[in-house]
């Protein structure tokens, strides 16, 4: 019985060979291949998961050429027969050639991870105490963790190379800040191996042929990386937010050991007794900002905003990171149990002298159930009598507004003022703006604005809210009226962000939008008409579209390429001080696509991606202007 499967890969020489080959698919290419290699014999090799039988090359002019098993051979259970089924052998051969080329000593082996002999390829470098793993079969996080521990038993470092961009690759990116990648391309009867490095927010991966790389003490180094390791592995701890208030008291007698994994630039470490909300007191290491006065061991402090837990893998323990804290008064400190002071009962007011009571008749006595209780009035009087400092008033306002944000419940300014007492009594409008700005500072993209929950005395938005938002740096807030529909729509979205962050069921916080973002005011039918009109305009435009990128001159291409490479080099030197935005990443991807398209001669527009279409519409002058804008930002960061 003949085998009619399209077998594209085989090994040369014998069934145990690891010398792979891909049969050319075109008849003319196969004829040339036969003339160049007349003595080759082909086998369904064991290294391919095959049966070990001999194969014949089939030449067809009306369909794809392929290998076929010789008639009368054993039944073959080989699962993968396509051109990628021998990738592990091409990687193995490429690594061996690289070792021989550089005179290095190393061992290359293929691994069967349960789905065949092509699950992975390992390169062991004993002199560098390093192991390289090329992962071809799918792998989950737990499997990767187990394999990483096994591979690292006899070496100092394990470098993982991944062929696909999946959940595990994203996990490695989050852990190390980079991921090593590989891919293969078919060239005649070969599969050529390429190596690249993927980084967070970086430009598209730049691929280098494996034969152009170098093997050194630091691992596999690519030419595009300048002959240096891609990045340092992540050393800082992972951060998890802590919910609820937290109080602490420093212990001056305890010393943090040198070389703590939680030490970082701009921070100081201290040992303290920490009391999370509703939990027992625990001993912990605190990471405090170095540019603020250190807390005193004689007092108890409460953390402002949320603290974070720092965790390191490998049994290094944990620490608490906090940025802002306020000192508690004696009574509040005593309630935490972190101080030796006793919580004394309040002094009793002197009992007034008894006075004569006029007798009343029983028929006029009010039943006890109808006597109005005086407790709420006394409680309000007690609260209003509390005098808070400015810092305490800010912290208290945050707490009250955070509780309201969890429910999406607005709060009248008069109600908040009653809870803050005399500390904010008689504030002018300017002082109120400064106070609310301090309540919402510092403002992060993931943190909702709490001031949007405040209502004026007449029930509308707080009249000074646009000024508060402007001082906080919210785009589009300047000059708006408190009655503006745009402002009301933005406030509604910001309150929903507060529910997402502080609610009983926390969820992902959507990004903050500018205040001037237009809201949907048309009906569904009107929006359908608008969409149809836009599609007609787009179709008309596409007919008249000119591919300006393809008509760029050689000089213009050289200018764009030189500026693109200068920006890339400047980014790598500037490092962290330069914050890459979505616009920066978009321009760099567009420039990369533009350069690739200008080098092509084909005008075929089939299967063109939206990014390629945009690049085709971009002229060289526009591309240079975009890249020059990024270069100006980089130079401004360096000047600081």
């Amino acid at each position: 019985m003949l085998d009619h499967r399209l077998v594209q890969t085989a090994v040369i020489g014998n069934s145990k060979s690891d010398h792979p080959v891909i049969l050319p698919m075109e008849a003319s290419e196969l004829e040339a291949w036969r003339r160049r290699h007349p003595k080759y014999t082909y086998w369904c090799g064991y290294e391919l998961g095959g049966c070990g039988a001999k194969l014949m090359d089939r030449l067809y002019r009306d369909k794809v050429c392929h290998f076929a098993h010789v008639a009368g051979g054993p039944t073959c259970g080989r699962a993968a027969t396509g051109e990628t089924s021998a990738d592990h052998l091409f990687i193995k051969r490429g690594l061996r050639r690289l070792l021989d080329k550089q005179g290095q000593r190393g061992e290359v082996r293929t691994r069967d991870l349960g789905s065949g002999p092509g699950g992975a390829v390992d390169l062991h470098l004993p002199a560098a105490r390093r192991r390289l793993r090329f992962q071809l079969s799918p792998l989950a996080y737990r499997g990767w963790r187990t394999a990483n521990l096994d591979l690292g038993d006899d070496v100092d470092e394990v470098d993982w190379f991944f062929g696909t961009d999946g959940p595990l690759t994203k996990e490695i990116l989050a852990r190390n800040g980079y991921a090593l990648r590989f891919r293969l391309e078919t060239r005649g009867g070969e599969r050529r191996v390429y190596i690249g490095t993927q980084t967070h927010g970086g430009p598209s991966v730049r691929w280098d042929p494996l034969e152009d790389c170098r093997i050194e003490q630091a691992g596999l180094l690519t030419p595009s990386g300048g002959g240096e390791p891609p990045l340092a592995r992540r050393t800082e701890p992972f951060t998890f937010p802590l919910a609820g208030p937290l109080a602490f008291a420093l212990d001056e007698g305890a010393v943090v050991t040198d070389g703590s994994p939680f030490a970082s630039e701009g921070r100081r470490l201290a040992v303290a007794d920490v009391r999370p909300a509703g939990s027992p007191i625990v001993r912990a290491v605190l990471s405090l900002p170095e540019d603020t006065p250190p807390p005193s061991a004689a007092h108890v402090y409460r953390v402002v905003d949320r603290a974070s837990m720092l965790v390191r893998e490998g049994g290094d323990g944990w620490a608490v990171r906090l940025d802002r804290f306020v000192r508690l008064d004696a009574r509040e400190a005593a309630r935490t149990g972190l101080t030796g002071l006793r919580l004394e009962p309040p002094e009793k007011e002197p009992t007034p002298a008894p006075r004569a009571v006029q007798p009343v008749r029983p028929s006029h006595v009010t039943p006890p159930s109808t006597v109005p209780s005086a407790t709420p009035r006394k409680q309000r009087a007690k609260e209003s009598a509390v005098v808070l400092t400015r810092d305490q008033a800010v912290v208290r306002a945050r707490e009250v507004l955070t509780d309201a944000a969890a429910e999406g419940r607005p709060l009248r300014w008069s109600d908040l003022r009653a809870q803050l007492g005399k500390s904010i009594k008689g504030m002018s409008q300017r002082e109120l703006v400064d106070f609310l700005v301090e309540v919402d500072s510092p403002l992060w993209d993931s943190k909702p604005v709490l001031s949007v929950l405040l209502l004026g005395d007449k029930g509308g938005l707080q009249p000074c809210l646009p000024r508060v938002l402007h001082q906080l740096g919210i785009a589009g807030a300047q000059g708006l009226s408190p009655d503006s529909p745009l402002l009301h729509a933005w406030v509604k979205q910001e309150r929903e962000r507060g529910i997402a962050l502080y609610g009983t069921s926390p969820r992902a916080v959507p990004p903050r939008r500018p205040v001037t973002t237009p809201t949907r005011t048309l009906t569904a039918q009107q929006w359908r008409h608008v969409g149809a009109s836009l599609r007609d305009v787009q179709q008309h435009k596409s007919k008249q579209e000119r591919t300006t990128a393809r008509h760029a001159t050689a000089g213009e291409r050289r200018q764009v390429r030189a500026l693109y490479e200068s920006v890339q080099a400047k980014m790598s030197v500037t490092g962290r001080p330069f914050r890459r935005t979505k616009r920066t990443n978009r321009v760099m991807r567009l420039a990369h696509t533009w350069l690739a398209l200008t080098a092509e001669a084909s005008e075929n527009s089939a299967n063109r991606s939206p990014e390629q279409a945009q690049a085709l519409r971009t002229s060289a002058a526009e591309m240079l202007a975009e890249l020059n804008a990024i270069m100006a930002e980089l130079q401004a960061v360096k000047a600081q």
Side-chain angles (χ1 to χ4, degrees), residues 36-209:
R36 289 197 304 269
H37 310 290
K39 297 183 179 180
Y40 275 4
T41 58
Y42 307 108
W43 302 80
C44 185
Y46 298 121
E47 288 286 344
L48 297 173
C51 59
K54 193 173 184 179
L55 298 174
M56 300 171 54
D57 56 344
R58 298 284 193 180
L59 188 148
Y60 298 95
R61 300 192 181 277
D62 56 346
K63 58 182 179 179
V64 173
C65 303
H66 60 86
F67 289 116
H69 287 74
V70 176
T75 301
C76 182
R78 179 176 168 186
T81 58
E83 66 176 6
T84 63
S85 59
D87 281 356
H88 58 295
L89 296 184
F90 285 108
I91 295 173
K92 180 180 181 181
R93 185 166 68 187
L95 292 174
R96 282 178 172 171
R97 288 176 176 175
L98 188 61
L99 288 170
D100 294 340
K101 176 182 176 181
Q102 298 184 7
Q104 297 274 0
R105 184 171 62 90
E107 179 186 10
V108 186
R109 297 182 59 184
T110 58
R111 301 290 183 182
D112 186 346
L113 303 181
S115 58
V121 180
D122 287 346
L123 169 60
H124 182 210
L125 302 172
R129 293 190 55 81
R130 203 174 197 97
R131 196 182 299 274
L132 280 62
R133 161 64 63 93
F134 289 77
Q135 185 68 32
L136 289 93
S137 63
L139 190 63
Y141 172 76
R142 290 190 175 182
W144 169 81
R145 184 177 177 83
T146 302
N148 193 52
L149 292 174
D150 293 340
L151 292 171
D153 280 345
D154 57 345
V155 295
D156 296 331
E157 292 287 349
V158 179
D159 294 332
W160 286 79
F161 293 77
F162 298 95
T164 58
D165 186 10
L168 182 56
T169 312
K170 293 180 174 58
E171 178 65 27
I172 300 298
L173 269 174
R175 296 171 66 87
N176 296 338
Y178 71 94
L180 302 174
R181 301 286 303 279
F182 72 88
R183 66 181 175 90
L184 290 89
E185 291 183 359
T186 303
R187 294 287 187 272
E190 290 274 341
R191 291 276 284 169
R192 197 176 183 189
V193 186
Y194 291 84
I195 305 297
T197 303
Q198 182 178 357
T199 58
H200 268 305
S204 55
V205 181
R206 176 176 289 186
W207 299 97
D208 294 293

Side-chain angles (χ1 to χ4, degrees), residues 208 212-214 216 218-230:
D208 294 293
D212 294 342
C213 299
R214 300 202 322 270
E216 295 190 359
L220 190 63
L221 308 184
T222 61
S224 61
E228 297 293 333

Side-chain angles (χ1 to χ4, degrees), residues 443-622:
L443 185 64
W444 305 300
D445 291 339
S446 59
K447 176 183 173 184
V449 178
L450 297 175
S451 300
V452 300
L453 298 162
L454 286 178
L455 302 178
D457 294 334
K458 296 182 179 180
L461 294 179
Q462 186 61 236
C464 65
L465 180 60
R467 293 173 56 191
V468 174
L469 299 180
H470 175 62
Q471 291 196 24
L472 287 172
I474 305 297
Q478 187 176 13
L480 284 181
S481 166
D483 299 327
S484 168
L486 286 176
L487 181 60
H488 279 264
W490 185 86
V491 166
K492 181 179 179 182
Q493 294 172 353
E494 200 67 9
R495 289 176 181 174
E496 291 174 353
R497 282 164 41 89
I499 297 175
L501 180 61
Y502 300 116
T504 54
S505 300
R507 57 183 185 274
V509 181
R512 179 183 293 112
R513 300 178 181 177
V515 180
T516 54
T517 300
T519 56
R520 177 169 178 163
T521 57
L522 302 180
T523 64
Q525 184 66 27
Q526 289 171 328
W527 275 107
R528 283 194 290 270
H529 289 316
V530 171
S533 301
L534 290 175
R535 285 192 296 272
D536 292 340
V537 172
Q538 186 65 29
Q539 291 174 1
H540 180 69
K541 181 179 178 182
S542 63
K543 293 178 181 178
Q544 301 178 346
E545 173 184 289
R546 294 184 60 201
T547 56
T548 57
R550 293 193 184 279
H551 298 290
T553 64
E556 289 173 334
R557 289 197 296 270
R558 285 195 296 270
Q559 289 180 2
V560 173
R561 181 175 297 280
L563 184 55
Y564 172 74
E565 293 176 351
S566 297
V567 170
Q568 277 191 318
K570 197 79 170 179
M571 283 182 180
S572 62
V573 172
T574 306
R576 286 188 177 179
F578 176 67
R579 182 180 180 184
R580 300 190 62 153
T581 63
K582 290 183 179 179
R583 173 184 166 277
T584 305
N585 295 332
R586 179 184 62 78
V587 171
M588 297 301 288
R589 290 196 304 270
L590 181 63
H592 183 272
T593 306
W594 192 92
L595 290 169
L597 290 176
T598 54
E600 295 178 2
S602 173
E603 295 287 341
N604 183 23
S605 61
N607 300 324
R608 182 181 294 160
S609 68
E611 191 173 49
Q612 291 173 329
Q614 182 183 359
L616 288 172
R617 295 192 297 270
T618 305
S619 66
E622 292 170 334

